[in-house]
mmCIF file of all heavy atoms in Angstrom:
data_model
loop_
_atom_site.group_PDB
_atom_site.id
_atom_site.type_symbol
_atom_site.label_atom_id
_atom_site.label_comp_id
_atom_site.label_asym_id
_atom_site.label_seq_id
_atom_site.Cartn_x
_atom_site.Cartn_y
_atom_site.Cartn_z
ATOM 1 N N ALA A 120 178.573 155.348 213.810
ATOM 2 C CA ALA A 120 179.840 156.068 213.973
ATOM 3 C C ALA A 120 180.216 156.870 212.725
ATOM 4 O O ALA A 120 180.959 157.847 212.824
ATOM 5 C CB ALA A 120 180.961 155.085 214.328
ATOM 6 N N ASP A 121 179.708 156.489 211.572
ATOM 7 C CA ASP A 121 180.019 157.182 210.313
ATOM 8 C C ASP A 121 179.003 158.243 209.925
ATOM 9 O O ASP A 121 179.212 158.976 208.959
ATOM 10 C CB ASP A 121 180.106 156.170 209.161
ATOM 11 C CG ASP A 121 181.301 155.245 209.290
ATOM 12 O OD1 ASP A 121 182.281 155.632 209.943
ATOM 13 O OD2 ASP A 121 181.242 154.141 208.732
ATOM 14 N N MET A 122 177.895 158.317 210.646
ATOM 15 C CA MET A 122 176.832 159.248 210.269
ATOM 16 C C MET A 122 177.219 160.697 210.566
ATOM 17 O O MET A 122 177.914 160.979 211.533
ATOM 18 C CB MET A 122 175.540 158.912 211.018
ATOM 19 C CG MET A 122 174.947 157.600 210.629
ATOM 20 S SD MET A 122 174.330 157.667 208.941
ATOM 21 C CE MET A 122 173.567 156.094 208.815
ATOM 22 N N LEU A 123 176.733 161.581 209.710
ATOM 23 C CA LEU A 123 176.976 163.006 209.895
ATOM 24 C C LEU A 123 175.977 163.575 210.903
ATOM 25 O O LEU A 123 174.848 163.108 211.008
ATOM 26 C CB LEU A 123 176.831 163.744 208.555
ATOM 27 C CG LEU A 123 177.824 163.334 207.471
ATOM 28 C CD1 LEU A 123 177.480 164.025 206.151
ATOM 29 C CD2 LEU A 123 179.238 163.668 207.898
ATOM 30 N N PRO A 124 176.380 164.630 211.620
ATOM 31 C CA PRO A 124 175.469 165.230 212.604
ATOM 32 C C PRO A 124 174.195 165.802 211.988
ATOM 33 O O PRO A 124 173.184 165.927 212.660
ATOM 34 C CB PRO A 124 176.298 166.355 213.231
ATOM 35 C CG PRO A 124 177.700 166.115 212.846
ATOM 36 C CD PRO A 124 177.692 165.239 211.622
ATOM 37 N N CYS A 125 174.228 166.106 210.692
ATOM 38 C CA CYS A 125 173.058 166.691 210.033
ATOM 39 C C CYS A 125 172.068 165.634 209.548
ATOM 40 O O CYS A 125 171.059 165.955 208.935
ATOM 41 C CB CYS A 125 173.498 167.575 208.866
ATOM 42 S SG CYS A 125 174.421 166.679 207.603
ATOM 43 N N SER A 126 172.332 164.370 209.811
ATOM 44 C CA SER A 126 171.455 163.288 209.379
ATOM 45 C C SER A 126 170.543 162.874 210.535
ATOM 46 O O SER A 126 171.021 162.600 211.639
ATOM 47 C CB SER A 126 172.309 162.101 208.929
ATOM 48 O OG SER A 126 171.501 161.007 208.629
ATOM 49 N N PHE A 127 169.226 162.824 210.275
ATOM 50 C CA PHE A 127 168.275 162.524 211.340
ATOM 51 C C PHE A 127 167.399 161.312 211.074
ATOM 52 O O PHE A 127 166.842 160.741 211.998
ATOM 53 C CB PHE A 127 167.373 163.746 211.593
ATOM 54 C CG PHE A 127 168.122 164.898 212.177
ATOM 55 C CD1 PHE A 127 168.698 165.846 211.352
ATOM 56 C CD2 PHE A 127 168.286 165.014 213.542
ATOM 57 C CE1 PHE A 127 169.414 166.892 211.883
ATOM 58 C CE2 PHE A 127 168.995 166.064 214.081
ATOM 59 C CZ PHE A 127 169.563 167.008 213.254
ATOM 60 N N GLY A 128 167.228 160.922 209.828
ATOM 61 C CA GLY A 128 166.279 159.867 209.492
ATOM 62 C C GLY A 128 166.677 158.498 209.993
ATOM 63 O O GLY A 128 167.799 158.048 209.778
ATOM 64 N N PHE A 129 165.754 157.829 210.680
ATOM 65 C CA PHE A 129 165.913 156.441 211.113
ATOM 66 C C PHE A 129 167.165 156.217 211.950
ATOM 67 O O PHE A 129 167.857 155.214 211.801
ATOM 68 C CB PHE A 129 165.889 155.484 209.916
ATOM 69 C CG PHE A 129 164.672 155.630 209.075
ATOM 70 C CD1 PHE A 129 164.694 156.373 207.904
ATOM 71 C CD2 PHE A 129 163.476 155.050 209.464
ATOM 72 C CE1 PHE A 129 163.555 156.532 207.130
ATOM 73 C CE2 PHE A 129 162.328 155.204 208.708
ATOM 74 C CZ PHE A 129 162.364 155.940 207.535
ATOM 75 N N ARG A 130 167.468 157.187 212.817
ATOM 76 C CA ARG A 130 168.649 157.068 213.676
ATOM 77 C C ARG A 130 168.232 157.042 215.135
ATOM 78 O O ARG A 130 167.240 157.654 215.510
ATOM 79 C CB ARG A 130 169.597 158.237 213.419
ATOM 80 C CG ARG A 130 170.217 158.138 212.034
ATOM 81 C CD ARG A 130 171.241 159.186 211.797
ATOM 82 N NE ARG A 130 172.347 159.106 212.733
ATOM 83 C CZ ARG A 130 173.192 160.107 212.947
ATOM 84 N NH1 ARG A 130 173.060 161.245 212.306
ATOM 85 N NH2 ARG A 130 174.182 159.972 213.792
ATOM 86 N N PRO A 131 169.011 156.346 215.970
ATOM 87 C CA PRO A 131 168.648 156.278 217.392
ATOM 88 C C PRO A 131 168.777 157.657 218.054
ATOM 89 O O PRO A 131 169.675 158.429 217.743
ATOM 90 C CB PRO A 131 169.664 155.296 217.981
ATOM 91 C CG PRO A 131 170.797 155.268 217.012
ATOM 92 C CD PRO A 131 170.221 155.600 215.667
#
Side-chain angles (χ1 to χ4, degrees):
D121 292 335
M122 294 292 185
L123 297 174
C125 60
S126 174
F127 292 91
F129 305 99
R130 291 185 61 198

